Amino acid sequence: MKRLSALLVLASLAFAAAPARADEGMWTFDAFPSAKVKAAYGFAPSQAWLDHVRRSVARIPGCSSSFVSPQGLLLTNHHCALGCVAALSSKEHNYAEAGFYAEKLEDEVACPNFEALRLDSISDVTAAMDAATKGKTGSARVDASRAKQRELTTACSKPPAVRCDLVVLYHGAVSKLYKYDRSTDVRLVFAPEERIAQFGGDPDNFNFPRYDLDMSLLRAYKDGKPLETTDYLKWNPQGTKDGDLVFVAGHPGSTQRELTVSQLTYLRDVSFPRVIPALAEWRGILEEYQMIGPEERRTTDQTLFFLDNAYKVQVGHEQALLEPDFFGQKVAEERALRVAIAKRPEMQKRYGRAWDDLAAVQRKKAELALTQQYVAGGPQGALWGAARGLVRIANPLPNAPEAAGQGADAARRRLLSPVPIQPGREELQMAFWAKRLREDLGADDPFVKKVLGSQSPQEWAHVLVTTTKLSDLNYRRSLLDGGKAAIDASDDPLVKAVASIDADARAAQRRYEDEVAGPEGKAAQDVARARFAVYGTSTYPDATFTLRLSYGAVKGFTSARGPVASYTKVGGLYDRATGRDPFRLPKRLIDAKGSLDPNVPMNLSSTNDITGGNSGSPLIDKDGRVVGLAFDGNIYSLGGEYGFDPVRNRTVSVDSRAMGLALTSVYKAQRIAVELGL
Amino acid sequence: MKRLSALLVLASLAFAAAPARADEGMWTFDAFPSAKVKAAYGFAPSQAWLDHVRRSVARIPGCSSSFVSPQGLLLTNHHCALGCVAALSSKEHNYAEAGFYAEKLEDEVACPNFEALRLDSISDVTAAMDAATKGKTGSARVDASRAKQRELTTACSKPPAVRCDLVVLYHGAVSKLYKYDRSTDVRLVFAPEERIAQFGGDPDNFNFPRYDLDMSLLRAYKDGKPLETTDYLKWNPQGTKDGDLVFVAGHPGSTQRELTVSQLTYLRDVSFPRVIPALAEWRGILEEYQMIGPEERRTTDQTLFFLDNAYKVQVGHEQALLEPDFFGQKVAEERALRVAIAKRPEMQKRYGRAWDDLAAVQRKKAELALTQQYVAGGPQGALWGAARGLVRIANPLPNAPEAAGQGADAARRRLLSPVPIQPGREELQMAFWAKRLREDLGADDPFVKKVLGSQSPQEWAHVLVTTTKLSDLNYRRSLLDGGKAAIDASDDPLVKAVASIDADARAAQRRYEDEVAGPEGKAAQDVARARFAVYGTSTYPDATFTLRLSYGAVKGFTSARGPVASYTKVGGLYDRATGRDPFRLPKRLIDAKGSLDPNVPMNLSSTNDITGGNSGSPLIDKDGRVVGLAFDGNIYSLGGEYGFDPVRNRTVSVDSRAMGLALTSVYKAQRIAVELGL
């Protein structure tokens, strides 16, 4: 009951104006509201507690994780390690299907292109950033900001072990430098079968009650040996009980709670009506492609998994904005802030125009949306990305991300990734892009003609994918090492195709920065400062895929169907299994049924305020021990993109007791059980 | 530039409040504004002109057509005969691919399940309908209306040759009885290759300039011989020139220009965000299914063609409602009407509540939307439809459409249709329905469990489609003839599946009628009467797939890219051909190139106000002759669903000169050319 649920939850929301309400907030570690937690739960994390947790948590690509042993063992979700599992799999060994366990330390296998980042320190660089962009507009502002960012991060970083990121909080009102310890040798230790990790699949995704063993274990290595660390979280095999205070430490990716009404209107009326049907069509294509055979299924499983998830998320976001009461609340809040600013002439002079500026930018954004998507953006996929990376590295623009510093490192790293490229999926993806390009811009558009010539979209994709040699890592390396001369001389059809339209792409990007990104950045910063001016700085910033801490309690909720208890149990997993995907249990679980206590808690629900990117975050008790592993939210959590609903928004985690039971009794992972102290 | 186009056209709209503006309107033949046409164009159609045109035009399934010879020759679009072309095709003879031409009269082949309806007379039955529903609400109102409708149409009809329909105009404020002469023996005479009929395919659909030969010829038969008639339109081989007055007589299917703001809001915020992504996903599935092979392509080509069209239409409608200026205009118009009503106490008492009633109904409609779609509705497709038809005919509810009269005839006819059923497509369709059922209602929903049991959606569809015998016409006939006893005793899995949930389906339908359809019908009728009370009855009703006449002039327009001339030419077709679908010419056209005058007009644009259902309508000059064949509108016509834009909304037709040239010089259809007087 997706639609009804969204309507019902939102009708019950009453969003806080400025001070965050009970359990709300994804707080930075340097501004955690300990006093507030103390008042609500009788416990305040000490500075030592905060420092220890901060150092025990690591960011990994797209997700969060935590150290759970002194030998660098990392706990995260299965879906966070799925990229590694898929990259290590082949037609012969499908670890998503069969699961993976390294019986011995030597069996642990390196995950291609993985890294783990531990936050070491945070410093404020707002003044430096402000000075760099002062008085600048459009792409000049984007350039100045990027140049200062590069200067600050380069000065701070010591590759490969120390990485520094500029973190823009409150839409630019505050800038911080985050310094990370970085591990680039991360290996796969344990992953259960995807069928139990994602039991219930897409139908159960963002639902609770839930029965997933969405866990995996990785290990960080240093100099070829397990990374030794004193900053790790101990395991609590007893878990939690209803009402217990729990924390989630991790890296929420993005929220949009600070957006203005015109920005939200753009999302609701321009962006979602275009993006969601495109995702839906792509989903239909992939679903049908998977019917061809097991190899087609294997090579697109990961893509479809994340697509299904993204689709549900986007629909949830759209539904939230379509709810009139909720949107009305946003309108009312904005009006109140503007009235407050208008009463202070100095503030009004400084910030009063910002909302109208943002509204004007949204109109320009709508006008440039298709150009930005197709001309500046281009197709998704590894092959096109590699070709574009090579062309741009060979012909760098001074201010482009790939020109120097971290951006250049990342671009080289992507190009030299050993992850196998799947030509079937690449062709499907490029053909779909080209089809939509022609559909959205029209067959008579000059850019469309330049790309396709007289070819059909399918033909264009097929010819490029089957004739390029960029699937070959050595070939990519030779072009990269050969520099501009090699690219200019290359007769690789995909390199030539990218090169032939790259000037258009860069011009479109520049125009977008001049007319949209630059002005929007400036005005959004002003709105944030206006908010500080009226409400103070005691609130948390929108999520930015950087380390945050949220607090809450183990607690159920009431759905459209009635009350939902906080815990599910192992027995419920077996009750729910139908023998058919996605409700089909792997053989190991079926075999183990008789030996498992059906009353062991499986998944649990808590009031923590998290979002995508928090996947893999530990659920921590007040003693700093692991009591669970966050992997999802309930359906009411999707509206959390724009505001927190304490009544029904819930974090969904795997219970530490279920993880322990699985490792010891199902997977017989004795080596790891001992390491965890189980 | 779909989005931009929609934005630009709508920004330029200033919708008429009550009196229709220049060239606006889909007028009924009994209330055509001849004086207005006279004032604008210096010509007024006489009653004889109107009667002749009315009798020369025929409704066919989903489309319009016109008699163009005294021997019952019918001109319509290729896409209107596509159902017949596909039904007559097989793996060995693909007439969509190769085209069809009956060299001799004996070669003309009957189109399964086709009919042609000529409007004989219109009589007013508003008073009778009002009396029948007076004081009734909810499903009682729906029942009473249906019963009176059945009584009136049954008394008037003389099957099979005379059919009468109740036509509800102005949302029930006016009811008329339309009496038709009916031909049920309609045969295929000529259809070109689909590739030239739909040249440019989906990318060019709803675009102009255009180069399509979207024509076909059918013939109505009576007693096994060509139908003789004096009511037919003569052919004008000279065609038109810029600015000429032209009429379109046909059957526009549906417009929503009379909807209130709450009804439009429902469409914009509830309906489209759900319907459009579902269409998009289904489109992706079909596109990928077609890649499997030519037989998969052949058996789904027609489905995908109409799906692509529907998708573009729905997106165009949504974009129109998302345009703030346009929506604001609708809000302002409604406010003005309500203010006018509020000033007259008698009117206010009678109609004042109607808008609020409609708003309340929309909330209920949103609440029941999923139940209505899935429980009351069920899957699309011929097999499910046949099973449901059999179950319901065997167990009729007194007021159900299939219980008696025309509804019963139509239900029997559908069941006994000889159109071949394509199991692959049926399975795809049912699996997609079942997947979405579980996705939208949730895996724990009791109805979902009742339908699927422990099966996956794919498995459910596969088992039903591969085990049912309902693809066999004789088996369907035996079950139909066997009545309730045969259905109750049937062990056909699909019949049993339908029977097991039919009580749920009927209960859901009943609830919908009680809480939505009934109250909405009543309130919408009140709004229409309020509008009459304030503005008089001099405007046209929303389209209802009944005969209408629109007038206008041959005229180009200005698109986002600049001015667009009224005519395209045959030479342009060859310039546009790339050799790749959908811009690939059939061999006959390539071969004929040298012999064709490139300056012959191909397609043309005119200001007539038409919509879907008008496909196949003749474009008529003031002498009542065929000068073209309407087959589409330009992109700006999609907003016509909610209001007419005289500046850019254009009808797109095949020029009579191109049709003549094709018949004589490309297809060498001498027999037909002579019959048309070419």
Side-chain angles (χ1 to χ4, degrees):
Chain A
M1 293 284 195
K2 222 174 342 188
R3 168 77 200 173
L4 290 184
S5 313
L7 283 174
L8 291 171
V9 60
L10 289 161
S12 73
L13 287 176
F15 282 82
R21 63 175 55 213
D23 300 358
E24 174 172 352
M26 306 173 191
W27 302 90
T28 58
F29 271 73
D30 57 353
F32 189 75
S34 287
K36 207 164 170 180
V37 181
K38 174 91 179 174
Y41 292 98
F43 169 82
S46 65
Q47 192 57 47
W49 190 103
L50 290 170
D51 289 345
H52 174 68
V53 168
R54 171 173 55 75
R55 294 278 310 160
S56 299
V57 173
R59 193 171 95 178
I60 57 175
C63 281
S64 303
S65 70
S66 60
F67 285 98
V68 288
S69 90
Q71 291 86 40
L73 195 64
L74 282 165
L75 174 68
T76 187
N77 291 146
H78 183 276
H79 72 268
C80 294
L82 189 56
C84 174
V85 170
L88 298 180
S89 291
S90 62
K91 200 170 169 178
E92 293 70 34
H93 298 284
N94 186 344
Y95 298 119
E97 177 72 23
F100 177 92
Y101 174 51
E103 289 273 354
K104 299 188 294 287
L105 187 67
E106 310 87 88
D107 299 336
E108 298 179 1
V109 196
C111 290
N113 270 19
F114 236 76
E115 62 173 9
L117 299 173
R118 277 209 273 194
L119 182 56
D120 184 63
S121 65
I122 302 174
S123 51
D124 196 313
V125 292
T126 308
M129 290 299 290
D130 280 358
T133 56
K134 192 174 160 84
K136 295 199 165 65
T137 58
S139 60
R141 189 171 194 278
V142 173
D143 282 352
S145 167
R146 201 179 277 156
K148 176 53 77 179
Q149 173 171 351
R150 184 175 292 159
E151 180 197 318
L152 291 169
T153 53
T154 304
C156 161
S157 297
K158 292 192 184 63
V162 175
R163 166 172 161 168
C164 298
D165 284 354
L166 187 86
V167 176
V168 170
L169 301 172
Y170 305 103
H171 294 264
V174 169
S175 295
K176 302 237 171 165
L177 199 59
Y178 277 44
K179 189 173 170 187
Y180 296 100
D181 286 339
R182 178 166 174 249
S183 306
T184 51
D185 184 356
V186 178
R187 305 190 190 175
L188 184 62
V189 177
F190 167 76
E193 302 87 344
E194 190 178 4
R195 280 215 300 281
I196 183 62
Q198 311 303 337
F199 183 77
D202 181 56
D204 274 7
N205 193 18
F206 288 108
N207 283 319
F208 191 84
R210 191 76 160 280
Y211 305 87
D212 288 3
L213 187 69
D214 193 355
M215 72 174 291
S216 68
L217 291 160
L218 306 166
R219 191 186 303 280
Y221 280 68
K222 192 177 178 184
D223 304 329
K225 286 181 193 147
L227 175 78
E228 297 198 0
T229 180
T230 53
D231 288 313
Y232 68 94
L233 305 177
K234 293 211 169 70
W235 198 268
N236 178 348
Q238 273 76 48
T240 48
K241 59 180 194 311
D242 241 325
D244 277 1
L245 170 64
V246 282
F247 300 87
V248 174
H251 304 81
S254 163
T255 53
Q256 321 237 42
R257 297 181 186 175
E258 297 167 37
L259 293 196
T260 63
V261 169
S262 71
Q263 290 174 304
L264 294 172
T265 303
Y266 176 83
L267 290 174
R268 186 191 63 187
D269 294 349
V270 182
S271 182
F272 289 133
R274 219 158 53 75
V275 169
I276 290 174
L279 286 177
E281 188 171 345
W282 177 226
R283 204 179 170 211
I285 289 171
L286 279 177
E287 284 161 353
E288 194 54 29
Y289 181 77
Q290 290 214 330
M291 297 290 157
I292 300 174
E295 188 59 4
E296 282 78 7
R297 179 175 292 269
R298 182 185 73 82
T299 54
T300 54
D301 244 357
Q302 196 194 346
T303 311
L304 185 56
F305 174 84
F306 288 111
L307 175 63
D308 278 341
N309 188 68
Y311 181 74
K312 217 175 228 188
V313 168
Q314 296 285 308
V315 168
H317 291 178
E318 182 186 45
Q319 291 298 325
L321 295 183
L322 283 171
E323 175 53 38
D325 289 348
F326 170 59
F327 207 86
Q329 184 80 29
K330 285 283 183 186
V331 172
E333 282 170 22
E334 179 165 308
R335 194 178 300 127
L337 176 57
R338 292 189 74 171
V339 165
I341 290 291
K343 283 184 188 151
R344 314 179 194 189
E346 173 61 21
M347 294 288 131
Q348 175 64 16
K349 196 178 153 209
R350 202 180 295 171
Y351 306 126
R353 284 176 48 92
W355 287 268
D356 297 336
D357 287 352
L358 279 172
V361 168
Q362 304 316 305
R363 288 189 289 275
K364 182 54 76 175
K365 203 195 277 183
E367 192 189 315
L368 295 183
L370 292 177
T371 312
Q372 177 62 14
Q373 177 184 346
Y374 291 108
V375 185
Q380 302 288 305
L383 284 176
W384 188 272
R388 176 172 276 191
L390 287 166
V391 167
R392 294 205 167 167
I393 288 172
N395 302 278
L397 293 181
N399 289 304
E402 69 277 3
Q406 280 177 13
D409 294 345
R412 282 187 65 90
R413 203 160 168 219
R414 276 196 300 274
L415 270 169
L416 300 180
S417 162
V419 175
I421 289 175
Q422 306 297 345
R425 190 185 63 201
E426 297 286 322
E427 187 177 327
L428 213 56
Q429 215 159 7
M430 285 176 59
F432 181 56
W433 177 81
K435 191 202 102 140
R436 289 182 56 228
L437 166 77
R438 187 173 72 184
E439 192 166 304
D440 281 354
L441 298 186
D444 295 318
D445 181 89
F447 182 75
V448 175
K449 288 181 173 170
K450 195 167 180 178
V451 170
L452 290 182
S454 65
Q455 290 178 301
S456 73
Q458 286 76 14
E459 191 182 2
W460 174 81
H462 181 73
V463 168
L464 287 179
V465 170
T466 53
T467 57
T468 183
K469 295 185 294 269
L470 290 177
S471 292
D472 177 358
L473 171 57
N474 291 324
Y475 183 68
R476 295 200 297 275
R477 186 180 288 120
S478 73
L479 283 180
L480 182 62
D481 293 345
K484 184 166 161 45
I487 295 298
D488 290 350
S490 172
D491 62 352
D492 189 273
L494 193 56
V495 171
K496 287 167 73 179
V498 167
S500 73
I501 56 167
D502 205 48
D504 303 88
R506 284 175 148 170
Q509 180 62 35
R510 200 72 184 157
R511 183 172 176 204
Y512 192 80
E513 287 171 0
D514 268 332
E515 302 184 22
V516 177
E520 185 161 33
K522 170 73 174 71
Q525 193 185 64
D526 284 347
V527 168
R529 288 187 171 149
R531 204 176 280 126
F532 288 166
V534 174
Y535 299 119
T537 55
S538 66
T539 188
Y540 58 95
D542 260 334
T544 51
F545 199 33
T546 51
L547 191 59
R548 305 292 177 93
L549 185 62
S550 89
Y551 65 97
V554 176
K555 198 173 176 186
F557 57 99
T558 300
S559 81
R561 293 181 193 285
V564 177
S566 344
Y567 294 95
T568 63
K569 292 179 176 178
V570 167
L573 169 68
Y574 289 98
D575 295 342
R576 197 169 177 76
T578 64
R580 271 76 160 194
D581 284 330
F583 299 98
R584 185 160 61 107
L585 290 172
K587 184 166 182 307
R588 273 198 200 88
L589 267 288
I590 297 170
D591 292 347
K593 184 177 178 183
S595 69
L596 304 181
D597 177 356
N599 290 315
V600 169
M602 181 82 206
N603 291 173
L604 75 153
S605 145
S606 65
T607 62
N608 303 75
D609 184 7
I610 69 169
T611 192
N614 264 118
S615 279
S617 298
L619 190 73
I620 305 170
D621 66 14
K622 63 185 168 54
D623 298 324
R625 294 175 303 171
V626 174
V627 290
L629 172 62
F631 71 98
D632 206 3
N634 66 357
I635 195 73
Y636 306 104
S637 72
L638 291 172
E641 181 75 357
Y642 309 108
F644 183 71
D645 169 23
V647 178
R648 298 216 245 187
N649 184 336
R650 292 292 179 270
T651 287
V652 174
S653 303
V654 191
D655 196 286
S656 63
R657 287 162 284 192
M659 290 190 279
L661 186 69
L663 288 170
T664 53
S665 304
V666 181
Y667 296 94
K668 320 287 182 194
Q670 272 318 110
R671 180 173 73 92
I672 299 304
V674 169
E675 188 173 344
L676 290 171
L678 293 173
Chain B
M1 293 282 196
K2 222 172 343 185
R3 169 75 199 176
L4 290 182
S5 312
L7 283 174
L8 290 171
V9 59
L10 289 163
S12 74
L13 287 175
F15 281 83
R21 63 174 54 214
D23 301 358
E24 175 172 350
M26 306 175 192
W27 302 90
T28 58
F29 272 72
D30 56 354
F32 189 76
S34 287
K36 206 164 169 179
V37 182
K38 175 92 178 172
Y41 291 97
F43 169 82
S46 66
Q47 191 56 48
W49 191 103
L50 290 169
D51 289 344
H52 175 68
V53 168
R54 172 174 53 77
R55 294 278 309 159
S56 300
V57 173
R59 193 173 95 178
I60 58 176
C63 281
S64 304
S65 71
S66 61
F67 285 98
V68 289
S69 91
Q71 292 85 39
L73 196 64
L74 281 166
L75 173 69
T76 187
N77 290 146
H78 184 277
H79 73 265
C80 295
L82 190 56
C84 174
V85 169
L88 298 180
S89 292
S90 62
K91 200 170 171 179
E92 293 70 34
H93 298 283
N94 186 343
Y95 298 120
E97 177 74 22
F100 177 92
Y101 174 52
E103 290 274 354
K104 300 188 294 286
L105 186 69
E106 310 86 88
D107 298 337
E108 298 179 0
V109 196
C111 290
N113 269 19
F114 236 76
E115 63 173 9
L117 299 173
R118 278 209 272 195
L119 182 57
D120 184 63
S121 65
I122 302 174
S123 49
D124 196 313
V125 293
T126 309
M129 289 300 290
D130 280 358
T133 56
K134 194 174 158 84
K136 294 198 165 66
T137 58
S139 60
R141 189 170 193 279
V142 173
D143 283 351
S145 168
R146 201 179 276 156
K148 176 54 76 176
Q149 172 172 351
R150 184 175 289 159
E151 179 197 319
L152 292 168
T153 54
T154 304
C156 162
S157 297
K158 291 193 183 64
V162 175
R163 165 172 162 169
C164 298
D165 284 353
L166 186 85
V167 177
V168 170
L169 301 172
Y170 305 103
H171 294 263
V174 170
S175 296
K176 303 235 171 168
L177 198 60
Y178 276 44
K179 188 172 171 188
Y180 295 99
D181 287 340
R182 177 165 177 250
S183 306
T184 51
D185 183 355
V186 178
R187 305 189 190 176
L188 184 62
V189 177
F190 167 75
E193 302 87 343
E194 189 178 4
R195 280 215 300 280
I196 182 62
Q198 311 303 337
F199 183 78
D202 180 56
D204 274 9
N205 193 18
F206 289 108
N207 282 318
F208 192 83
R210 191 75 161 280
Y211 306 87
D212 288 3
L213 187 68
D214 193 355
M215 72 175 292
S216 68
L217 291 160
L218 305 167
R219 191 186 302 280
Y221 279 69
K222 191 177 178 184
D223 304 328
K225 287 182 193 147
L227 176 77
E228 297 197 1
T229 180
T230 53
D231 289 313
Y232 69 94
L233 305 176
K234 293 212 170 69
W235 198 269
N236 178 348
Q238 273 74 50
T240 47
K241 60 179 193 311
D242 242 324
D244 278 1
L245 170 64
V246 282
F247 299 87
V248 175
H251 304 81
S254 163
T255 52
Q256 321 237 41
R257 297 181 186 176
E258 298 167 36
L259 294 196
T260 62
V261 169
S262 71
Q263 290 174 303
L264 293 172
T265 303
Y266 175 83
L267 289 174
R268 186 191 64 187
D269 294 349
V270 182
S271 181
F272 289 133
R274 219 158 53 75
V275 169
I276 291 175
L279 286 177
E281 188 170 346
W282 178 225
R283 207 180 168 207
I285 289 171
L286 279 177
E287 284 161 353
E288 194 54 28
Y289 181 77
Q290 290 213 331
M291 297 291 158
I292 301 175
E295 189 57 5
E296 282 77 8
R297 179 175 292 270
R298 182 185 73 80
T299 54
T300 54
D301 244 358
Q302 196 194 346
T303 311
L304 185 56
F305 174 84
F306 288 112
L307 174 64
D308 278 341
N309 188 68
Y311 180 74
K312 217 175 228 189
V313 168
Q314 296 287 309
V315 169
H317 291 177
E318 182 186 45
Q319 292 297 326
L321 295 184
L322 284 171
E323 174 54 38
D325 290 348
F326 170 60
F327 208 86
Q329 184 81 29
K330 286 282 183 184
V331 171
E333 283 170 23
E334 179 165 308
R335 194 177 302 127
L337 176 57
R338 292 189 73 171
V339 165
I341 290 292
K343 282 182 187 151
R344 313 180 196 189
E346 174 60 21
M347 294 288 129
Q348 176 64 17
K349 195 178 156 209
R350 201 180 296 170
Y351 306 126
R353 283 177 47 91
W355 288 268
D356 297 336
D357 287 351
L358 278 172
V361 169
Q362 305 317 304
R363 286 189 289 275
K364 183 54 79 174
K365 203 196 276 184
E367 191 189 316
L368 295 183
L370 293 177
T371 311
Q372 177 62 11
Q373 177 184 347
Y374 291 108
V375 185
Q380 302 289 305
L383 284 176
W384 187 271
R388 177 172 276 191
L390 287 166
V391 167
R392 294 205 169 167
I393 289 172
N395 303 279
L397 292 181
N399 289 305
E402 68 277 3
Q406 281 176 15
D409 293 346
R412 280 188 67 90
R413 206 163 164 213
R414 276 196 300 274
L415 269 170
L416 300 179
S417 163
V419 174
I421 289 174
Q422 306 296 346
R425 190 186 62 202
E426 297 287 322
E427 187 178 325
L428 213 56
Q429 214 159 7
M430 284 175 59
F432 181 56
W433 177 82
K435 191 202 102 141
R436 289 181 57 228
L437 166 77
R438 188 175 70 185
E439 193 166 304
D440 281 353
L441 298 186
D444 295 318
D445 181 88
F447 182 74
V448 175
K449 288 183 173 170
K450 194 166 180 180
V451 170
L452 290 182
S454 65
Q455 291 179 300
S456 73
Q458 286 77 15
E459 191 182 2
W460 174 81
H462 182 72
V463 168
L464 288 179
V465 170
T466 53
T467 57
T468 182
K469 296 186 293 269
L470 290 178
S471 292
D472 177 358
L473 171 57
N474 291 324
Y475 184 68
R476 295 200 298 275
R477 185 180 288 119
S478 73
L479 283 181
L480 182 62
D481 294 346
K484 184 164 161 45
I487 295 299
D488 289 350
S490 173
D491 62 353
D492 189 273
L494 193 57
V495 171
K496 286 167 73 178
V498 166
S500 73
I501 56 169
D502 205 48
D504 304 87
R506 284 175 147 168
Q509 180 62 34
R510 200 70 185 160
R511 184 172 175 204
Y512 193 80
E513 287 170 0
D514 267 333
E515 301 183 22
V516 177
E520 184 160 34
K522 171 72 173 70
Q525 193 184 65
D526 284 347
V527 167
R529 288 188 170 150
R531 205 177 278 125
F532 287 166
V534 174
Y535 300 118
T537 55
S538 66
T539 189
Y540 58 94
D542 260 334
T544 50
F545 198 34
T546 51
L547 191 60
R548 305 291 177 93
L549 186 61
S550 89
Y551 65 98
V554 176
K555 197 174 176 185
F557 57 98
T558 300
S559 81
R561 293 181 191 285
V564 179
S566 344
Y567 295 95
T568 62
K569 292 178 176 178
V570 167
L573 169 68
Y574 289 98
D575 295 342
R576 196 169 178 74
T578 64
R580 271 76 161 193
D581 285 331
F583 300 98
R584 184 161 61 109
L585 291 171
K587 186 168 181 306
R588 274 197 200 89
L589 267 288
I590 297 170
D591 292 347
K593 183 175 180 184
S595 68
L596 304 180
D597 176 355
N599 290 315
V600 169
M602 181 84 205
N603 291 170
L604 76 154
S605 144
S606 64
T607 62
N608 303 77
D609 184 8
I610 69 170
T611 191
N614 264 118
S615 279
S617 298
L619 190 73
I620 305 170
D621 65 14
K622 64 187 169 53
D623 300 323
R625 294 175 304 171
V626 175
V627 290
L629 172 63
F631 72 98
D632 206 3
N634 66 358
I635 194 75
Y636 306 103
S637 73
L638 290 172
E641 181 76 357
Y642 309 108
F644 182 71
D645 168 23
V647 178
R648 298 216 246 188
N649 184 336
R650 292 292 179 271
T651 287
V652 174
S653 303
V654 191
D655 196 287
S656 63
R657 287 161 287 192
M659 290 190 278
L661 186 70
L663 288 170
T664 54
S665 304
V666 180
Y667 296 94
K668 319 288 183 192
Q670 273 318 112
R671 180 172 73 93
I672 300 305
V674 169
E675 187 173 345
L676 290 171
L678 292 173

